[in-house]
Amino acid sequence: VNGEIDYGRHEVMIETCDHNKNFFDFSIEEYTCVVKMYKARFIELSKDEKVESVIIYKNHLKSAGASKRHSHSQILSMSFIPPELMNELKATISANDISEQSIVYENQNFIVFIPEDAFLSGEIIIRHKTSNRFETTADHEIVDMAEVLRYVFQKVEYVHGQIPFNIYIHSLPKHIENNDFRWHIHVIPRRGNFGGFELSTGLYINSLNTDEMLEKFKER
């Protein structure tokens, strides 16, 4: 994108040389390599003075928006802050606003929880405990993140099977200060498509039993 008002770059990031492998099959070492790639490209695209925000996202399978079968993610830099991220920044109350019962897993640096007010069925959020900027993630934290990704996708497969999904990373934009915001990853299993109600109202029906999903995620 390059115009008088909006500006940015778009890149496709190849995650593996194995055409038949996907996120459900990755090892912790493979997730670690993917996250290191994410960070390197995030930092590089953020250097552009015209860029205000950078988004990393992944679409898995055609019904979730993927145009290619080979496992890949995408990164997009923008000269503005997108509305969804801006809404999150405005809605941030506290870094400690997660209810204990919604947490399904945590390690030294990350918390995994199932939001009670998710607008899409089955949404899972992976949130850093202390940092608000993805690009500052240290190497030992990346290993923690890889461990969490492995846990989450094992559980998604257990609960839903290897279904289509979207993930995206929200990090604090470089010219914004917000001490309560924590960078995080949204994981959204695509259990269905949008219908006329959602498109006409902007409201989304969450038909999943959250308590049942919490129970399954907490099973060892």
Side-chain angles (χ1 to χ4, degrees):
V1 182
N2 195 343
E4 294 181 1
I5 299 176
D6 300 329
Y7 168 88
R9 289 171 58 186
H10 172 244
E11 296 179 359
V12 175
M13 299 180 287
I14 305 302
E15 300 162 349
T16 175
C17 60
D18 187 339
H19 184 64
N20 296 311
K21 206 165 195 179
N22 62 55
F23 249 44
F24 290 105
D25 306 318
F26 282 6
S27 66
I28 290 178
E29 291 75 17
E30 288 170 315
Y31 282 121
T32 300
C33 290
V34 169
V35 177
K36 286 182 176 179
M37 174 177 65
Y38 286 177
K39 179 184 172 182
R41 298 314 303 155
F42 190 103
I43 290 173
E44 187 61 31
L45 267 63
S46 296
K47 290 178 181 177
D48 192 325
E49 293 182 357
K50 297 179 183 178
V51 166
E52 290 294 327
S53 60
V54 177
I55 300 292
I56 293 173
Y57 62 96
K58 176 179 175 63
N59 305 325
H60 176 64
L61 297 181
K62 187 175 181 180
S63 60
S67 57
K68 303 292 182 183
R69 180 184 169 191
H70 194 100
S71 190
H72 67 284
S73 299
Q74 300 177 66
I75 185 168
L76 183 66
S77 64
M78 291 166 281
S79 57
F80 59 94
I81 301 173
E84 181 62 24
L85 179 53
M86 184 59 76
N87 288 339
E88 283 192 7
L89 293 170
K90 291 178 179 178
T92 299
I93 299 172
S94 169
N96 301 310
D97 60 355
I98 306 172
S99 68
E100 192 70 29
Q101 64 187 28
S102 69
I103 297 173
V104 294
Y105 185 81
E106 65 178 302
N107 59 21
Q108 184 176 352
N109 291 290
F110 293 92
I111 295 174
V112 181
F113 65 100
I114 297 174
E116 298 172 356
D117 56 350
F119 77 96
L120 290 174
S121 295
E123 181 179 14
I124 305 126
I125 296 179
I126 302 167
R127 190 160 85 171
H128 197 284
K129 290 183 177 180
T130 60
S131 174
N132 51 24
R133 299 187 188 277
F134 171 66
E135 65 270 29
T136 64
T137 307
D139 284 349
H140 69 277
E141 295 175 321
I142 288 176
V143 175
D144 270 4
M145 181 175 167
E147 176 191 302
V148 168
L149 286 170
R150 180 66 179 146
Y151 163 81
V152 167
F153 281 94
Q154 283 181 331
K155 288 299 185 180
V156 170
E157 183 174 10
Y158 171 66
V159 175
H160 304 294
Q162 289 199 9
I163 66 170
F165 66 82
N166 303 102
I167 66 174
Y168 52 93
I169 297 176
H170 276 166
S171 179
L172 192 66
K174 62 184 183 181
H175 294 130
I176 298 290
E177 295 298 329
N178 186 326
N179 293 330
D180 289 325
F181 186 86
R182 297 290 181 265
W183 78 261
H184 55 277
I185 307 171
H186 294 262
V187 180
I188 303 175
R190 296 297 295 271
R191 301 174 66 251
N193 295 316
F194 302 144
F197 176 81
E198 289 85 357
L199 294 173
S200 65
T201 64
L203 302 173
Y204 296 84
I205 297 174
N206 187 339
S207 58
L208 189 69
N209 185 321
T210 304
D211 290 337
E212 182 179 338
M213 186 174 173
L214 280 166
E215 184 179 339
K216 288 183 177 180
F217 262 73
K218 290 177 180 180
E219 289 177 1
R220 299 300 181 188

